[in-house]
Amino acid sequence: MRQDTNNLPDVVYDVRGLNLWYGETHALKDVNLQILKNHVTAIIGPSGCGKSTFIKTLNRMIENVPGVRTSGEILYHGRDIFDKDLRVEELRTKVGMVFQKPNPFPKSIYENVLYGPKIHGIKNKQLLMEILETSLKASALWDEVKDRLDDNAYGLSGGQQQRLCIARCLAVQPDIILMDEPTSALDPIATSRIEELINRLKKDYTIAIVTHSMQQAARISDRTAYFLLGELVEYDYTERIFSNPRDQRTEDYITGRFG
Amino acid sequence: MEFEAQLLQQLEIEKDREIINRRPVRIDPARIRRRVWLNNLLQRVFSLSTAFAIAVLAILFYQIISQSIGWLDWQFLSSNLSIFPEKAGIWGAIVGSIGLILIVIPVTIVLGVSTAIYLEEYATEGRLRDFIRINLSNLASVPSVIFGLLGLSLFGRILHLGSSILAGGLTLSLMVLPIIVVSAQEAIRAVPGFLRDGSYAMGASKWTTIWKVVLPIALPGILTGSILSVSRAIGETAPLVVLGIPALIMRVPTSVMDDFTALPIQIYYWTLDSVLTREYANLASATIVVLLLVLFLMNSIAIIIRNKFQKSY
Ligand SMILES: Nc1ncnc2c1ncn2[C@@H]1O[C@H](COP(=O)(O)OP(=O)(O)O)[C@@H](O)[C@H]1O
Ligand SMILES: [Mg+2]
């Protein structure tokens, strides 16, 4: 990987020689990549290339799938997340995740946002209200829901539900947010609202986002990683990936001449 | 190259259009008539089957209710057993049945739900778990007499509980436990995985996720299954007969260690003795009405819970 070693931005994740198997299926092959602080990193590639697998490995959610094996290292702020002494629960308070299909709990909007803070032991009513408001404001949902915080989250539209899930994630105050195709279940208007949101969140958070839309990657990301058949083919500045890719396979994919 | 591809595509379209214009699917009106006729016939067969079931039920109810008229009154509910039919009542049996329920509910729900949680959420997938699962389903279909025998040797003889309410309650709990475990497992399994993921992704531990997300959603299903199982337990006679519940108990039980009688037991003995004393048949019918009312009530509650909380994701 080409890297400007002189003024290197902070590295949040340093993935080194990561391999992953589902039983016999070799789903990630020797992946090396660094996710940089306050950057939006897009992960693109054809379906089945291992995008979801990769992003779920970063917070070890992948371990909920039986029969998964990994090798290699993933350093999160310099600490190997596969380390025996590391508690995944603790890691996941720092690494939030937003899923493909909005998955709010069948509870009120209020309970959804404060789920994280409450299970982590925050009881102070005033603090909880502060967290509620800032999280909903940061996810651009506050104005739409401030008068119906006690309503069930299932009454919201798909786009609102996804922003609620982002708010729920922000309420734990993570450093980095992992998103797995967060707009693929949404209409174009809801999608552009989420994209605007990501642009704003970038100031305070690091974001890694899987997307199957190259336009989306081009619009919102600083760096783009192109995966193919479990391999990281190319990882570079987004403009460079889209204007002047170095690998023929990347170029084929970008230009839609993909086989 | 480009041109060739276009040409090929054009040819494909032409071929498809030719097939469409030919209309190769021929419809046979006679066949449609036969199908419609079969449908009408089956519709009648099915409605007759339903009518048959309803008729049997109606006859049964008619017989029981007509026999119980004049016998089912406050005096019958509130007095204790007696060998004289006019003075006999089922207060003792009601107390016995309530005692059984009070043992069965906590024992089965605590053990059953814990087991279901373990099997669904904690046990790692593998042969052992499959083995336990299959055998739980098998246990759920073991005849109740067998559980009576198990209760007799385990609680009655080894633990010296005799034929007390405690022995009866624990025996019925054993009988009901597999059913509760299986239904609770189903309720837990029906909670979508993406909701668990939402919780885990925020750093929740497994237990927190179970307690805050899984159980609240599974609760209506668990309750419905539990109520139905418990209502099965209070209608059971066989295991209690095997335990050796005495035929005639004059004393109303005051503790779980007392001997007791219960509603189904009383129905059983009165029906047996109705050859000797005609009026015992009326007492049995009156008791059946009481038992049926209790069962209807419990099943209605279960159905209301199920309908009220049914959700789709
Ligand atoms: N739970 C699983 N069990 C077995 N194989 C899986 C599982 N999930 C994904 N895979 C395989 O791993 C590969 C990568 O899948 P995934 O990461 O979901 O791809 P993407 O998100 O890029 O579409 C695919 O070949 C897929 O079949
Ligand atoms: Mg995917």
PDB file of all heavy atoms in Angstrom, chain A residues 61 64 66 89 92 99 101 103-107 115 119-120 154 168, chain B residues 125 194-195 197-205 208 212-213 217 313:
ATOM      1  N   MET A  61     -18.516  -9.227  15.212  1.00  0.00           N
ATOM      2  CA  MET A  61     -19.870  -9.757  15.126  1.00  0.00           C
ATOM      3  C   MET A  61     -19.876 -11.049  14.310  1.00  0.00           C
ATOM      4  O   MET A  61     -20.765 -11.870  14.428  1.00  0.00           O
ATOM      5  CB  MET A  61     -20.814  -8.748  14.464  1.00  0.00           C
ATOM      6  CG  MET A  61     -21.197  -7.578  15.342  1.00  0.00           C
ATOM      7  SD  MET A  61     -22.310  -8.023  16.673  1.00  0.00           S
ATOM      8  CE  MET A  61     -23.856  -8.122  15.782  1.00  0.00           C
ATOM      9  N   ASN A  64     -20.509 -14.606  15.680  1.00  0.00           N
ATOM     10  CA  ASN A  64     -21.821 -15.194  15.963  1.00  0.00           C
ATOM     11  C   ASN A  64     -22.221 -16.229  14.921  1.00  0.00           C
ATOM     12  O   ASN A  64     -23.164 -16.977  15.120  1.00  0.00           O
ATOM     13  CB  ASN A  64     -22.895 -14.106  16.030  1.00  0.00           C
ATOM     14  CG  ASN A  64     -22.700 -13.219  17.244  1.00  0.00           C
ATOM     15  OD1 ASN A  64     -21.928 -13.554  18.136  1.00  0.00           O
ATOM     16  ND2 ASN A  64     -23.384 -12.096  17.280  1.00  0.00           N
ATOM     17  N   PRO A  66     -21.647 -19.648  13.356  1.00  0.00           N
ATOM     18  CA  PRO A  66     -20.907 -20.843  13.763  1.00  0.00           C
ATOM     19  C   PRO A  66     -19.942 -21.298  12.682  1.00  0.00           C
ATOM     20  O   PRO A  66     -20.219 -21.161  11.489  1.00  0.00           O
ATOM     21  CB  PRO A  66     -21.999 -21.903  13.985  1.00  0.00           C
ATOM     22  CG  PRO A  66     -23.295 -21.287  13.634  1.00  0.00           C
ATOM     23  CD  PRO A  66     -23.091 -19.890  13.180  1.00  0.00           C
ATOM     24  N   GLU A  89     -17.473  -6.998  24.236  1.00  0.00           N
ATOM     25  CA  GLU A  89     -18.496  -6.047  24.665  1.00  0.00           C
ATOM     26  C   GLU A  89     -17.895  -4.639  24.767  1.00  0.00           C
ATOM     27  O   GLU A  89     -18.523  -3.660  24.386  1.00  0.00           O
ATOM     28  CB  GLU A  89     -19.102  -6.451  26.016  1.00  0.00           C
ATOM     29  CG  GLU A  89     -20.030  -7.664  25.949  1.00  0.00           C
ATOM     30  CD  GLU A  89     -19.279  -8.989  26.017  1.00  0.00           C
ATOM     31  OE1 GLU A  89     -18.023  -8.971  26.075  1.00  0.00           O
ATOM     32  OE2 GLU A  89     -19.943 -10.043  26.018  1.00  0.00           O
ATOM     33  N   ARG A  92     -17.099  -3.167  21.318  1.00  0.00           N
ATOM     34  CA  ARG A  92     -18.290  -2.734  20.585  1.00  0.00           C
ATOM     35  C   ARG A  92     -18.907  -1.453  21.137  1.00  0.00           C
ATOM     36  O   ARG A  92     -19.760  -0.851  20.481  1.00  0.00           O
ATOM     37  CB  ARG A  92     -19.340  -3.855  20.583  1.00  0.00           C
ATOM     38  CG  ARG A  92     -18.921  -5.011  19.697  1.00  0.00           C
ATOM     39  CD  ARG A  92     -19.858  -6.171  19.830  1.00  0.00           C
ATOM     40  NE  ARG A  92     -19.305  -7.365  19.184  1.00  0.00           N
ATOM     41  CZ  ARG A  92     -19.729  -8.590  19.439  1.00  0.00           C
ATOM     42  NH1 ARG A  92     -20.706  -8.786  20.303  1.00  0.00           N
ATOM     43  NH2 ARG A  92     -19.198  -9.626  18.828  1.00  0.00           N
ATOM     44  N   PHE A  99     -26.865  -1.530  10.379  1.00  0.00           N
ATOM     45  CA  PHE A  99     -27.057  -2.701   9.516  1.00  0.00           C
ATOM     46  C   PHE A  99     -27.776  -2.346   8.215  1.00  0.00           C
ATOM     47  O   PHE A  99     -28.325  -1.262   8.051  1.00  0.00           O
ATOM     48  CB  PHE A  99     -27.835  -3.774  10.275  1.00  0.00           C
ATOM     49  CG  PHE A  99     -27.102  -4.285  11.484  1.00  0.00           C
ATOM     50  CD1 PHE A  99     -27.115  -3.570  12.681  1.00  0.00           C
ATOM     51  CD2 PHE A  99     -26.386  -5.467  11.422  1.00  0.00           C
ATOM     52  CE1 PHE A  99     -26.428  -4.033  13.791  1.00  0.00           C
ATOM     53  CE2 PHE A  99     -25.705  -5.933  12.529  1.00  0.00           C
ATOM     54  CZ  PHE A  99     -25.727  -5.216  13.717  1.00  0.00           C
ATOM     55  N   LYS A 101     -30.567  -3.709   6.905  1.00  0.00           N
ATOM     56  CA  LYS A 101     -31.998  -3.492   7.094  1.00  0.00           C
ATOM     57  C   LYS A 101     -32.149  -2.761   8.422  1.00  0.00           C
ATOM     58  O   LYS A 101     -31.591  -3.197   9.434  1.00  0.00           O
ATOM     59  CB  LYS A 101     -32.683  -4.864   7.153  1.00  0.00           C
ATOM     60  CG  LYS A 101     -34.168  -4.806   7.228  1.00  0.00           C
ATOM     61  CD  LYS A 101     -34.783  -6.204   7.099  1.00  0.00           C
ATOM     62  CE  LYS A 101     -36.245  -6.156   7.428  1.00  0.00           C
ATOM     63  NZ  LYS A 101     -36.585  -6.802   8.693  1.00  0.00           N
ATOM     64  N   ASN A 103     -32.934  -1.968  11.940  1.00  0.00           N
ATOM     65  CA  ASN A 103     -33.378  -2.950  12.938  1.00  0.00           C
ATOM     66  C   ASN A 103     -33.633  -2.342  14.308  1.00  0.00           C
ATOM     67  O   ASN A 103     -33.067  -2.775  15.304  1.00  0.00           O
ATOM     68  CB  ASN A 103     -32.353  -4.088  13.047  1.00  0.00           C
ATOM     69  CG  ASN A 103     -30.993  -3.603  13.532  1.00  0.00           C
ATOM     70  OD1 ASN A 103     -30.722  -2.410  13.548  1.00  0.00           O
ATOM     71  ND2 ASN A 103     -30.141  -4.518  13.923  1.00  0.00           N
ATOM     72  N   PRO A 104     -34.515  -1.321  14.375  1.00  0.00           N
ATOM     73  CA  PRO A 104     -34.841  -0.798  15.704  1.00  0.00           C
ATOM     74  C   PRO A 104     -35.532  -1.880  16.522  1.00  0.00           C
ATOM     75  O   PRO A 104     -36.088  -2.823  15.972  1.00  0.00           O
ATOM     76  CB  PRO A 104     -35.806   0.353  15.407  1.00  0.00           C
ATOM     77  CG  PRO A 104     -36.393   0.044  14.090  1.00  0.00           C
ATOM     78  CD  PRO A 104     -35.330  -0.699  13.326  1.00  0.00           C
ATOM     79  N   PHE A 105     -35.480  -1.751  17.848  1.00  0.00           N
ATOM     80  CA  PHE A 105     -36.198  -2.685  18.706  1.00  0.00           C
ATOM     81  C   PHE A 105     -37.683  -2.319  18.695  1.00  0.00           C
ATOM     82  O   PHE A 105     -38.029  -1.154  18.515  1.00  0.00           O
ATOM     83  CB  PHE A 105     -35.679  -2.610  20.143  1.00  0.00           C
ATOM     84  CG  PHE A 105     -34.209  -2.881  20.253  1.00  0.00           C
ATOM     85  CD1 PHE A 105     -33.358  -1.979  20.864  1.00  0.00           C
ATOM     86  CD2 PHE A 105     -33.671  -4.048  19.730  1.00  0.00           C
ATOM     87  CE1 PHE A 105     -31.994  -2.223  20.969  1.00  0.00           C
ATOM     88  CE2 PHE A 105     -32.314  -4.307  19.834  1.00  0.00           C
ATOM     89  CZ  PHE A 105     -31.469  -3.392  20.452  1.00  0.00           C
ATOM     90  N   PRO A 106     -38.562  -3.294  18.917  1.00  0.00           N
ATOM     91  CA  PRO A 106     -40.001  -2.960  18.988  1.00  0.00           C
ATOM     92  C   PRO A 106     -40.323  -2.258  20.297  1.00  0.00           C
ATOM     93  O   PRO A 106     -41.086  -2.749  21.102  1.00  0.00           O
ATOM     94  CB  PRO A 106     -40.682  -4.324  18.867  1.00  0.00           C
ATOM     95  CG  PRO A 106     -39.660  -5.320  19.270  1.00  0.00           C
ATOM     96  CD  PRO A 106     -38.314  -4.725  19.008  1.00  0.00           C
ATOM     97  N   LYS A 107     -39.676  -1.122  20.516  1.00  0.00           N
ATOM     98  CA  LYS A 107     -39.882  -0.321  21.720  1.00  0.00           C
ATOM     99  C   LYS A 107     -40.088   1.125  21.269  1.00  0.00           C
ATOM    100  O   LYS A 107     -40.040   1.416  20.081  1.00  0.00           O
ATOM    101  CB  LYS A 107     -38.639  -0.381  22.618  1.00  0.00           C
ATOM    102  CG  LYS A 107     -38.230  -1.758  23.112  1.00  0.00           C
ATOM    103  CD  LYS A 107     -36.863  -1.658  23.794  1.00  0.00           C
ATOM    104  CE  LYS A 107     -36.289  -3.020  24.145  1.00  0.00           C
ATOM    105  NZ  LYS A 107     -36.612  -3.483  25.468  1.00  0.00           N
ATOM    106  N   TYR A 115     -31.157   2.700  24.734  1.00  0.00           N
ATOM    107  CA  TYR A 115     -30.862   1.292  25.043  1.00  0.00           C
ATOM    108  C   TYR A 115     -29.404   1.127  25.471  1.00  0.00           C
ATOM    109  O   TYR A 115     -29.110   0.562  26.530  1.00  0.00           O
ATOM    110  CB  TYR A 115     -31.153   0.416  23.828  1.00  0.00           C
ATOM    111  CG  TYR A 115     -30.884  -1.046  24.047  1.00  0.00           C
ATOM    112  CD1 TYR A 115     -31.838  -1.859  24.643  1.00  0.00           C
ATOM    113  CD2 TYR A 115     -29.663  -1.626  23.691  1.00  0.00           C
ATOM    114  CE1 TYR A 115     -31.599  -3.199  24.862  1.00  0.00           C
ATOM    115  CE2 TYR A 115     -29.416  -2.966  23.910  1.00  0.00           C
ATOM    116  CZ  TYR A 115     -30.381  -3.754  24.492  1.00  0.00           C
ATOM    117  OH  TYR A 115     -30.129  -5.075  24.714  1.00  0.00           O
ATOM    118  N   ILE A 119     -28.079   0.089  29.243  1.00  0.00           N
ATOM    119  CA  ILE A 119     -27.464  -1.197  29.578  1.00  0.00           C
ATOM    120  C   ILE A 119     -26.037  -1.019  30.077  1.00  0.00           C
ATOM    121  O   ILE A 119     -25.507  -1.878  30.766  1.00  0.00           O
ATOM    122  CB  ILE A 119     -27.469  -2.197  28.395  1.00  0.00           C
ATOM    123  CG1 ILE A 119     -26.660  -1.662  27.219  1.00  0.00           C
ATOM    124  CG2 ILE A 119     -28.882  -2.542  27.957  1.00  0.00           C
ATOM    125  CD1 ILE A 119     -26.356  -2.723  26.189  1.00  0.00           C
ATOM    126  N   HIS A 120     -25.418   0.120  29.728  1.00  0.00           N
ATOM    127  CA  HIS A 120     -24.075   0.347  30.243  1.00  0.00           C
ATOM    128  C   HIS A 120     -24.095   1.115  31.554  1.00  0.00           C
ATOM    129  O   HIS A 120     -23.084   1.659  31.981  1.00  0.00           O
ATOM    130  CB  HIS A 120     -23.210   1.022  29.184  1.00  0.00           C
ATOM    131  CG  HIS A 120     -22.939   0.121  28.012  1.00  0.00           C
ATOM    132  ND1 HIS A 120     -22.285  -1.076  28.139  1.00  0.00           N
ATOM    133  CD2 HIS A 120     -23.296   0.196  26.700  1.00  0.00           C
ATOM    134  CE1 HIS A 120     -22.216  -1.684  26.960  1.00  0.00           C
ATOM    135  NE2 HIS A 120     -22.839  -0.933  26.074  1.00  0.00           N
ATOM    136  N   TYR A 154     -41.603   1.364  15.342  1.00  0.00           N
ATOM    137  CA  TYR A 154     -42.102   0.705  14.134  1.00  0.00           C
ATOM    138  C   TYR A 154     -43.064   1.594  13.352  1.00  0.00           C
ATOM    139  O   TYR A 154     -43.406   1.285  12.225  1.00  0.00           O
ATOM    140  CB  TYR A 154     -42.749  -0.640  14.465  1.00  0.00           C
ATOM    141  CG  TYR A 154     -41.720  -1.729  14.612  1.00  0.00           C
ATOM    142  CD1 TYR A 154     -40.554  -1.485  15.316  1.00  0.00           C
ATOM    143  CD2 TYR A 154     -41.897  -2.978  14.043  1.00  0.00           C
ATOM    144  CE1 TYR A 154     -39.584  -2.456  15.457  1.00  0.00           C
ATOM    145  CE2 TYR A 154     -40.926  -3.967  14.176  1.00  0.00           C
ATOM    146  CZ  TYR A 154     -39.779  -3.697  14.886  1.00  0.00           C
ATOM    147  OH  TYR A 154     -38.820  -4.655  15.007  1.00  0.00           O
ATOM    148  N   ARG A 168     -29.177   5.515  17.800  1.00  0.00           N
ATOM    149  CA  ARG A 168     -28.995   4.499  18.841  1.00  0.00           C
ATOM    150  C   ARG A 168     -27.516   4.161  18.970  1.00  0.00           C
ATOM    151  O   ARG A 168     -26.996   3.964  20.067  1.00  0.00           O
ATOM    152  CB  ARG A 168     -29.798   3.257  18.430  1.00  0.00           C
ATOM    153  CG  ARG A 168     -29.761   2.129  19.400  1.00  0.00           C
ATOM    154  CD  ARG A 168     -30.679   1.012  18.956  1.00  0.00           C
ATOM    155  NE  ARG A 168     -30.141   0.301  17.799  1.00  0.00           N
ATOM    156  CZ  ARG A 168     -30.737  -0.759  17.237  1.00  0.00           C
ATOM    157  NH1 ARG A 168     -31.882  -1.202  17.719  1.00  0.00           N
ATOM    158  NH2 ARG A 168     -30.198  -1.352  16.212  1.00  0.00           N
TER     159      ARG A 168
ATOM    160  N   GLU B 125     -24.108 -25.296  18.969  1.00  0.00           N
ATOM    161  CA  GLU B 125     -24.726 -26.221  18.039  1.00  0.00           C
ATOM    162  C   GLU B 125     -23.909 -27.501  17.966  1.00  0.00           C
ATOM    163  O   GLU B 125     -22.685 -27.467  18.006  1.00  0.00           O
ATOM    164  CB  GLU B 125     -24.799 -25.577  16.644  1.00  0.00           C
ATOM    165  CG  GLU B 125     -26.154 -24.934  16.409  1.00  0.00           C
ATOM    166  CD  GLU B 125     -26.176 -24.130  15.128  1.00  0.00           C
ATOM    167  OE1 GLU B 125     -26.016 -24.730  14.069  1.00  0.00           O
ATOM    168  OE2 GLU B 125     -26.358 -22.904  15.229  1.00  0.00           O
ATOM    169  N   PHE B 194     -31.837 -10.302  13.716  1.00  0.00           N
ATOM    170  CA  PHE B 194     -31.303  -8.948  13.521  1.00  0.00           C
ATOM    171  C   PHE B 194     -31.555  -8.055  14.733  1.00  0.00           C
ATOM    172  O   PHE B 194     -30.849  -7.076  14.931  1.00  0.00           O
ATOM    173  CB  PHE B 194     -31.826  -8.306  12.229  1.00  0.00           C
ATOM    174  CG  PHE B 194     -33.322  -8.227  12.097  1.00  0.00           C
ATOM    175  CD1 PHE B 194     -34.043  -7.251  12.761  1.00  0.00           C
ATOM    176  CD2 PHE B 194     -34.002  -9.129  11.287  1.00  0.00           C
ATOM    177  CE1 PHE B 194     -35.413  -7.154  12.624  1.00  0.00           C
ATOM    178  CE2 PHE B 194     -35.381  -9.043  11.147  1.00  0.00           C
ATOM    179  CZ  PHE B 194     -36.091  -8.060  11.822  1.00  0.00           C
ATOM    180  N   LEU B 195     -32.556  -8.412  15.567  1.00  0.00           N
ATOM    181  CA  LEU B 195     -32.760  -7.630  16.793  1.00  0.00           C
ATOM    182  C   LEU B 195     -31.676  -7.958  17.820  1.00  0.00           C
ATOM    183  O   LEU B 195     -31.163  -7.078  18.512  1.00  0.00           O
ATOM    184  CB  LEU B 195     -34.145  -7.902  17.373  1.00  0.00           C
ATOM    185  CG  LEU B 195     -35.315  -7.430  16.513  1.00  0.00           C
ATOM    186  CD1 LEU B 195     -36.634  -7.727  17.199  1.00  0.00           C
ATOM    187  CD2 LEU B 195     -35.203  -5.942  16.226  1.00  0.00           C
ATOM    188  N   ASP B 197     -28.701  -8.906  17.003  1.00  0.00           N
ATOM    189  CA  ASP B 197     -27.496  -8.268  16.471  1.00  0.00           C
ATOM    190  C   ASP B 197     -27.444  -6.795  16.872  1.00  0.00           C
ATOM    191  O   ASP B 197     -26.396  -6.283  17.231  1.00  0.00           O
ATOM    192  CB  ASP B 197     -27.466  -8.377  14.938  1.00  0.00           C
ATOM    193  CG  ASP B 197     -27.140  -9.793  14.486  1.00  0.00           C
ATOM    194  OD1 ASP B 197     -26.705 -10.588  15.345  1.00  0.00           O
ATOM    195  OD2 ASP B 197     -27.328 -10.101  13.297  1.00  0.00           O
ATOM    196  N   GLY B 198     -28.608  -6.127  16.779  1.00  0.00           N
ATOM    197  CA  GLY B 198     -28.663  -4.719  17.154  1.00  0.00           C
ATOM    198  C   GLY B 198     -28.175  -4.509  18.575  1.00  0.00           C
ATOM    199  O   GLY B 198     -27.495  -3.534  18.876  1.00  0.00           O
ATOM    200  N   SER B 199     -28.522  -5.447  19.449  1.00  0.00           N
ATOM    201  CA  SER B 199     -28.121  -5.337  20.842  1.00  0.00           C
ATOM    202  C   SER B 199     -26.639  -5.674  21.032  1.00  0.00           C
ATOM    203  O   SER B 199     -25.891  -4.914  21.653  1.00  0.00           O
ATOM    204  CB  SER B 199     -28.994  -6.260  21.690  1.00  0.00           C
ATOM    205  OG  SER B 199     -28.541  -6.290  23.017  1.00  0.00           O
ATOM    206  N   TYR B 200     -26.216  -6.798  20.457  1.00  0.00           N
ATOM    207  CA  TYR B 200     -24.798  -7.185  20.579  1.00  0.00           C
ATOM    208  C   TYR B 200     -23.888  -6.086  20.047  1.00  0.00           C
ATOM    209  O   TYR B 200     -22.843  -5.804  20.617  1.00  0.00           O
ATOM    210  CB  TYR B 200     -24.514  -8.457  19.772  1.00  0.00           C
ATOM    211  CG  TYR B 200     -25.155  -9.699  20.321  1.00  0.00           C
ATOM    212  CD1 TYR B 200     -25.715 -10.658  19.476  1.00  0.00           C
ATOM    213  CD2 TYR B 200     -25.183  -9.933  21.696  1.00  0.00           C
ATOM    214  CE1 TYR B 200     -26.300 -11.805  19.976  1.00  0.00           C
ATOM    215  CE2 TYR B 200     -25.769 -11.082  22.203  1.00  0.00           C
ATOM    216  CZ  TYR B 200     -26.329 -12.014  21.337  1.00  0.00           C
ATOM    217  OH  TYR B 200     -26.899 -13.145  21.822  1.00  0.00           O
ATOM    218  N   ALA B 201     -24.305  -5.450  18.926  1.00  0.00           N
ATOM    219  CA  ALA B 201     -23.442  -4.456  18.278  1.00  0.00           C
ATOM    220  C   ALA B 201     -23.218  -3.241  19.160  1.00  0.00           C
ATOM    221  O   ALA B 201     -22.334  -2.441  18.898  1.00  0.00           O
ATOM    222  CB  ALA B 201     -24.042  -4.030  16.944  1.00  0.00           C
ATOM    223  N   MET B 202     -24.051  -3.087  20.207  1.00  0.00           N
ATOM    224  CA  MET B 202     -23.830  -1.958  21.104  1.00  0.00           C
ATOM    225  C   MET B 202     -23.085  -2.370  22.366  1.00  0.00           C
ATOM    226  O   MET B 202     -23.039  -1.627  23.343  1.00  0.00           O
ATOM    227  CB  MET B 202     -25.155  -1.319  21.460  1.00  0.00           C
ATOM    228  CG  MET B 202     -25.426  -0.158  20.528  1.00  0.00           C
ATOM    229  SD  MET B 202     -27.001   0.563  20.830  1.00  0.00           S
ATOM    230  CE  MET B 202     -28.010  -0.815  20.501  1.00  0.00           C
ATOM    231  N   GLY B 203     -22.544  -3.573  22.331  1.00  0.00           N
ATOM    232  CA  GLY B 203     -21.742  -4.005  23.456  1.00  0.00           C
ATOM    233  C   GLY B 203     -22.539  -4.685  24.553  1.00  0.00           C
ATOM    234  O   GLY B 203     -22.063  -4.817  25.675  1.00  0.00           O
ATOM    235  N   ALA B 204     -23.767  -5.096  24.234  1.00  0.00           N
ATOM    236  CA  ALA B 204     -24.548  -5.823  25.230  1.00  0.00           C
ATOM    237  C   ALA B 204     -24.034  -7.249  25.342  1.00  0.00           C
ATOM    238  O   ALA B 204     -23.649  -7.857  24.353  1.00  0.00           O
ATOM    239  CB  ALA B 204     -26.016  -5.833  24.829  1.00  0.00           C
ATOM    240  N   SER B 205     -24.031  -7.771  26.568  1.00  0.00           N
ATOM    241  CA  SER B 205     -23.643  -9.166  26.741  1.00  0.00           C
ATOM    242  C   SER B 205     -24.812 -10.048  26.331  1.00  0.00           C
ATOM    243  O   SER B 205     -25.906  -9.562  26.053  1.00  0.00           O
ATOM    244  CB  SER B 205     -23.298  -9.436  28.202  1.00  0.00           C
ATOM    245  OG  SER B 205     -24.477  -9.335  28.971  1.00  0.00           O
ATOM    246  N   THR B 208     -27.725  -9.744  28.844  1.00  0.00           N
ATOM    247  CA  THR B 208     -28.425  -8.464  28.697  1.00  0.00           C
ATOM    248  C   THR B 208     -29.345  -8.515  27.480  1.00  0.00           C
ATOM    249  O   THR B 208     -30.491  -8.065  27.530  1.00  0.00           O
ATOM    250  CB  THR B 208     -27.410  -7.316  28.527  1.00  0.00           C
ATOM    251  OG1 THR B 208     -26.501  -7.354  29.615  1.00  0.00           O
ATOM    252  CG2 THR B 208     -28.093  -5.974  28.490  1.00  0.00           C
ATOM    253  N   LYS B 212     -33.242  -8.039  27.879  1.00  0.00           N
ATOM    254  CA  LYS B 212     -33.829  -6.775  27.429  1.00  0.00           C
ATOM    255  C   LYS B 212     -34.519  -6.876  26.070  1.00  0.00           C
ATOM    256  O   LYS B 212     -35.400  -6.083  25.773  1.00  0.00           O
ATOM    257  CB  LYS B 212     -32.724  -5.704  27.309  1.00  0.00           C
ATOM    258  CG  LYS B 212     -32.061  -5.354  28.602  1.00  0.00           C
ATOM    259  CD  LYS B 212     -32.838  -4.271  29.291  1.00  0.00           C
ATOM    260  CE  LYS B 212     -32.095  -3.839  30.535  1.00  0.00           C
ATOM    261  NZ  LYS B 212     -32.782  -2.813  31.269  1.00  0.00           N
ATOM    262  N   VAL B 213     -34.058  -7.781  25.241  1.00  0.00           N
ATOM    263  CA  VAL B 213     -34.599  -7.835  23.878  1.00  0.00           C
ATOM    264  C   VAL B 213     -35.379  -9.131  23.621  1.00  0.00           C
ATOM    265  O   VAL B 213     -36.540  -9.099  23.233  1.00  0.00           O
ATOM    266  CB  VAL B 213     -33.464  -7.679  22.827  1.00  0.00           C
ATOM    267  CG1 VAL B 213     -34.021  -7.816  21.424  1.00  0.00           C
ATOM    268  CG2 VAL B 213     -32.781  -6.328  22.996  1.00  0.00           C
ATOM    269  N   ILE B 217     -39.905  -9.903  23.890  1.00  0.00           N
ATOM    270  CA  ILE B 217     -40.593 -10.209  22.639  1.00  0.00           C
ATOM    271  C   ILE B 217     -41.169 -11.621  22.682  1.00  0.00           C
ATOM    272  O   ILE B 217     -42.258 -11.887  22.177  1.00  0.00           O
ATOM    273  CB  ILE B 217     -39.639 -10.049  21.443  1.00  0.00           C
ATOM    274  CG1 ILE B 217     -39.153  -8.601  21.364  1.00  0.00           C
ATOM    275  CG2 ILE B 217     -40.331 -10.418  20.144  1.00  0.00           C
ATOM    276  CD1 ILE B 217     -38.090  -8.376  20.329  1.00  0.00           C
ATOM    277  N   TYR B 313     -42.446  -8.740  11.908  1.00  0.00           N
ATOM    278  CA  TYR B 313     -41.266  -7.888  11.747  1.00  0.00           C
ATOM    279  C   TYR B 313     -40.920  -7.707  10.287  1.00  0.00           C
ATOM    280  O   TYR B 313     -40.989  -8.623   9.527  1.00  0.00           O
ATOM    281  CB  TYR B 313     -40.082  -8.500  12.505  1.00  0.00           C
ATOM    282  CG  TYR B 313     -40.376  -8.588  13.955  1.00  0.00           C
ATOM    283  CD1 TYR B 313     -40.873  -9.750  14.516  1.00  0.00           C
ATOM    284  CD2 TYR B 313     -40.257  -7.455  14.745  1.00  0.00           C
ATOM    285  CE1 TYR B 313     -41.198  -9.801  15.850  1.00  0.00           C
ATOM    286  CE2 TYR B 313     -40.581  -7.491  16.077  1.00  0.00           C
ATOM    287  CZ  TYR B 313     -41.052  -8.674  16.628  1.00  0.00           C
ATOM    288  OH  TYR B 313     -41.372  -8.702  17.946  1.00  0.00           O
TER     289      TYR B 313
END
